Amino acid sequence: MSQIALPLEQKPSPDQGGYLVTAANAEVHRHLQNWQDWVHHTLILTGPEASGKTTMAAAFEAESGGLSLDDAADHKDTEIFHLWNRANSEQKPLLILAAKPVSEWGITLPDLKSRLAASLHVEIGAPDQAMIDGLFQKYFAIRGLTISQDALRYLEKRMVRSYAMVLELAQKWTR
């Protein structure tokens, strides 16, 4: 009898072990650990889809007591500006997440533009080999599955090397 993996869409969460740290995101991790040193107490974190931004934000909020805004490019200028002011009035660090750089958000509010320009910007790099291996292992473990090293090598030689592709392949894999 073989095990059947149900095609349930699952994403890792902080209570399932947080996020992986490799060379691909080591700089981001360093900045998140040192949030007390952020210029204007704000960090703008950009990176590709499925690169762990939301998971990193949850870990950051739990550790620092700070605030975060996911998919900032999809929010109105006034929403971002009010959250900025709230974070400053409450003296909390603010982590702003987006898939694309600030220059592509279409910000028109001058005060917000200047504040964002003066903030620390960090980008998550493309996944390296260690990140791809670790993510496959993590996604499979979440689904109660394992993957052999041979299967990993087979997939890695034939896949587009992106965070989103690792997630997609892991979700589609069945035994």
Side-chain angles (χ1 to χ4, degrees), residues 87-98:
N88 280 317
S89 71
E90 295 177 9
Q91 297 182 336
K92 293 183 175 185
L94 175 60
L95 178 61
I96 300 174
L97 312 172

Side-chain angles (χ1 to χ4, degrees), residues 8 27 30-31 34 53 101 113 122 130-131 138 150 167:
L8 303 174
E27 180 185 6
R30 183 176 55 80
H31 283 292
N34 297 301
K53 296 182 299 290
K113 259 187 185 181
V122 183
M131 179 64 75
K138 181 174 183 165
D150 289 341
L167 178 60

Side-chain angles (χ1 to χ4, degrees), residues 19 21-22 25-38 43 56 63 120 122:
Y19 59 92
V21 179
T22 70
N25 65 356
E27 180 185 6
V28 173
H29 177 70
R30 183 176 55 80
H31 283 292
L32 290 174
Q33 296 299 304
N34 297 301
W35 53 268
Q36 303 89 342
D37 300 333
W38 295 354
L43 177 84
M56 289 177 181
E63 183 176 315
L120 179 61
V122 183

